Amino acid sequence: MRAQANLPALAVAVVLLTTGTVTAVALGVDAFHEAERDPVERRVAESVAERLVAGDSALTRRRGVLDGPAVDSLNGTTLDRMVPTANGRSIRIALGGEVVLSRGGPAGGTTVRRVVRVARPVERERAIDLATTRTVRLRNRTGRVALDVEPGANTTVSTVRAGRRVLLHDPTGLDGTATVRVARTDRRTLSVSANENATGTVRLRYVRANASEAVLEVTVDA
Amino acid sequence: MGDALAADRRGVSSVVGKLYELAIVLGFVGVVTAALYGSAVPDYRTATGVEVGDRTLATAATRVEAAVPPDATSLRVEVAVDLPETVAGERYRVRAVNDSTLVFDHPDAAIGGRARLALPERVVAVNGTWESTETTVVAVDGGGDDVRVRLVGR
């Protein structure tokens, strides 16, 4: 048996090689599982987020600016109509940490975040006391303004202007209510022309968009 | 003498030893090759193909969605989409069905899938087919409420 002395050595070599091969394959399996992502989940989450903040979405005023009340009334049916991709998937939509819509209770899954502005309408009322002031500055994009002109005695309110554009004019005196639109291109100063020593008030009512920043989170668990 | 001849085979034993070694090494190589190419490698090829296929389909769908520009009265857009030429070593096809879904067709039945597109309502039609070996382009034209998306291969 002397001549077979290298057989044990060969056996050891075979065992070592086998161990090496098995270890390599096992490492490969681990690496493979670690590299596994769910591209479908991510895609759906991205499309939903993208469609929700798009300029032509039912939830936005313009691209990236969500309409607060519209977001509050979002439900599964409207979501599926807006984004058919979301149909039948576990999904959760949160705005600024508050869950707006949750369906199927996604556990884990993929989350996509978008920074958005959320506009909420706030009713504002202001009054111009004609005895002291004649102008008032409005915010950008004010839009429709309801005016209520209440002149005092010996007072003729002839003109209301936005910047230099005339909104209301009556040389014999304005009185009562009227609704005007302040265009985006107008200067933001609303001014009232009246005679000297005028008394009375002009009341303004308008809706101001109160915008705040928030993070929109869309979580999808396929 | 016959006994002496029969007993004297020491010269043979080294040859037998080498034959054993040869047999063991060949057997080992055979078993490892069979294990790797018989099951491990094809399994991973398919698993990788499934993964790459999913990603390719997701990329294609994202690109098609992104190719549709904001609302305009008249538009004509062409966006090139870079897709792998083969998945798991085979050519494949991406086609649009029902104006709303991309389908990934691959010779291997395990690889493939469908992706529902999220497009604005003004997109009325999505059609066309991409072969993986072509230069793949998304063509969007139309305008207003009548926007059409086509998958074009060149």
Side-chain angles (χ1 to χ4, degrees):
Chain A
M1 285 302 281
R2 254 193 349 240
Q4 265 77 286
N6 49 2
L7 275 186
L10 185 64
V12 171
V14 165
V15 168
L16 287 180
L17 273 176
T18 312
T19 318
T21 315
V22 169
T23 313
V25 171
L27 284 177
V29 172
D30 279 0
F32 191 78
H33 284 301
E34 268 169 35
E36 226 175 24
R37 297 281 180 281
D38 203 327
V40 176
E41 259 177 30
R42 171 151 294 276
R43 189 192 90 72
V44 171
E46 270 174 5
S47 327
V48 171
E50 193 53 41
R51 292 303 321 144
L52 291 186
V53 304
D56 51 10
S57 150
L59 298 188
T60 54
R61 296 182 162 209
R62 54 187 183 278
R63 189 174 165 74
V65 182
L66 294 178
D67 184 52
V71 174
D72 293 341
S73 62
L74 179 70
N75 58 38
T77 322
T78 22
L79 181 75
D80 287 346
R81 200 165 39 75
M82 283 173 63
V83 199
T85 317
N87 211 329
R89 291 182 193 274
S90 297
I91 189 165
R92 182 175 56 235
I93 297 173
L95 184 61
E98 268 181 52
V99 176
V100 180
L101 184 153
S102 180
R103 184 173 66 193
T110 307
T111 302
V112 170
R113 293 179 180 81
R114 292 275 186 281
V115 177
V116 291
R117 286 178 76 75
V118 186
R120 287 185 188 279
V122 179
E123 288 232 357
R124 286 290 308 264
E125 261 198 71
R126 292 168 78 176
I128 304 174
D129 184 355
L130 293 174
T132 54
T133 54
R134 296 287 160 89
T135 60
V136 62
R137 270 180 78 79
L138 302 173
R139 282 265 198 123
N140 263 341
R141 304 174 192 270
T142 300
R144 200 183 298 268
V145 179
L147 292 172
D148 186 0
V149 185
E150 293 165 3
N154 302 321
T155 300
T156 308
V157 178
S158 54
T159 316
V160 176
R161 291 185 176 87
R164 288 190 348 222
R165 189 164 73 91
V166 174
L167 300 175
L168 297 171
H169 179 70
D170 187 347
T172 61
L174 292 161
D175 194 353
T177 59
T179 303
V180 296
R181 271 196 79 82
V182 180
R184 271 160 76 166
T185 46
D186 284 334
R187 296 235 182 101
R188 286 173 291 154
T189 315
L190 201 75
S191 55
V192 180
S193 305
N195 56 314
E196 281 185 29
N197 304 323
T199 55
T201 52
V202 177
R203 287 179 203 288
L204 294 87
R205 271 189 300 118
Y206 56 89
V207 177
R208 203 183 85 187
N210 203 353
S212 57
E213 228 162 66
V215 177
L216 179 77
E217 287 187 322
V218 178
T219 306
V220 174
D221 191 4
Chain B
M1 283 300 276
D3 270 4
L5 266 180
D8 192 14
R9 283 198 191 147
R10 284 172 303 174
V12 180
S13 69
S14 64
V15 176
V16 171
K18 291 288 172 228
L19 284 179
Y20 274 138
E21 287 164 25
L22 196 66
I24 290 171
V25 168
L26 284 181
F28 173 75
V29 170
V31 167
V32 168
T33 311
L36 285 182
Y37 290 90
S39 107
V41 170
D43 282 1
Y44 285 123
R45 208 178 156 84
T46 308
T48 315
V50 169
E51 195 75 4
V52 174
D54 279 355
R55 277 172 210 214
T56 306
L57 181 60
T59 310
T62 308
R63 293 283 189 282
V64 170
E65 286 168 10
V68 178
D71 205 358
T73 47
S74 172
L75 48 90
R76 182 163 183 80
V77 177
E78 288 202 353
V79 184
V81 178
D82 195 15
L83 297 177
E85 279 204 3
T86 57
V87 169
E90 302 268 8
R91 286 189 259 171
Y92 58 92
R93 190 179 289 169
V94 175
R95 58 197 166 87
V97 293
N98 300 337
D99 293 329
S100 63
T101 308
L102 290 189
V103 177
F104 188 97
D105 283 337
H106 193 275
D108 186 338
I111 305 173
R114 302 167 75 86
R116 187 89 191 250
L117 294 168
L119 294 167
E121 276 175 20
R122 57 206 152 79
V123 175
V124 294
V126 184
N127 46 44
T129 304
W130 282 334
E131 303 283 345
S132 64
T133 46
E134 296 170 328
T135 306
T136 47
V137 174
V138 193
V140 184
D141 51 0
D145 288 330
D146 183 41
V147 177
R148 284 153 199 283
V149 177
R150 269 178 310 126
L151 312 185
V152 185
R154 293 196 175 124

